[in-house]
Each structure stands twice: as structure tokens, then as C-alpha cells.
Amino acid sequence: MNWIILIIAGLFEAGFAFCLGKAKQAAGTAVYLWYGGFLIALAISMFLLVKATQTLPIGTSYAVWTGIGAVVTALLGIIVFKEPAEFWRLFFIVNVSSG
């Protein structure tokens, strides 16, 4: 069960990074809504990470948490923010995430 909690925590890590990207693009009061989403996703991600580390080793948990967050954030950047999907970028995302 703690592995599932850790995966969800990693997804919320990508969620708070996504909110930062959307806040950068937003204008007016929408900026504050995205920053609010950032704070909520950050709090949930940290809470779940702490919960997972109660039974899983911290080094493993942190590596999995950051790995999921990094890969999902990079994919969201490509899909949502139209960042370049260059060969080397995809190559390193795949190799780092599978290592």
C-alpha cells in the first residue's frame, strides 16, 4: 500500500510543478488560483511522502518520488506547454526513469 501512496505522492509533485507553469502563463486573479493549487498539491505530496517513508526507506522513497515527479513534469511540459520533444531530451528522460 505504501508503494501506491508513494506513486500518488510523485504525481502530486508533478502537479505542483504543473501549477507553477500555469501560474507563469496566467494573468489577473487566475495567477493566485494556480499558486493556491501549487500549495495544495505541495502539501498533499509532502504528506504522502512522509506517510510512505514510515515503512519504506527514505533513500528509495525520495528517489522514486523525484523520479516520478521529474518524468511526469517533463511529459506535461511537452504535451501541455508545447516544450520541444527533441531526441536527446526524450532519450535522457527514458534512460533516467528506467535506471
Side-chain angles (χ1 to χ4, degrees):
M1 183 65 181
N2 282 313
W3 285 103
I4 294 169
I5 290 171
L6 185 59
I7 291 167
I8 295 169
L11 295 174
F12 273 100
E13 184 195 4
F16 72 71
F18 176 77
C19 287
L20 284 179
K22 292 300 281 186
K24 189 171 81 171
Q25 293 178 341
T29 57
V31 172
Y32 299 109
L33 293 174
W34 285 112
Y35 283 136
F38 164 79
L39 292 173
I40 291 167
L42 176 66
I44 293 170
S45 181
M46 292 297 155
F47 173 78
L48 293 174
L49 178 61
V50 168
K51 192 82 174 143
T53 59
Q54 289 176 347
T55 57
L56 299 174
I58 186 68
T60 302
S61 298
Y62 185 73
V64 169
W65 179 74
T66 57
I68 291 169
V71 170
V72 174
T73 301
L75 293 175
L76 284 171
I78 292 168
I79 295 165
V80 176
F81 298 112
K82 307 298 182 216
E83 294 176 356
E86 300 165 340
F87 171 79
W88 288 112
R89 181 179 189 171
L90 297 175
F91 174 81
F92 286 116
I93 289 170
V94 168
N95 283 304
V96 169
S97 65
S98 65

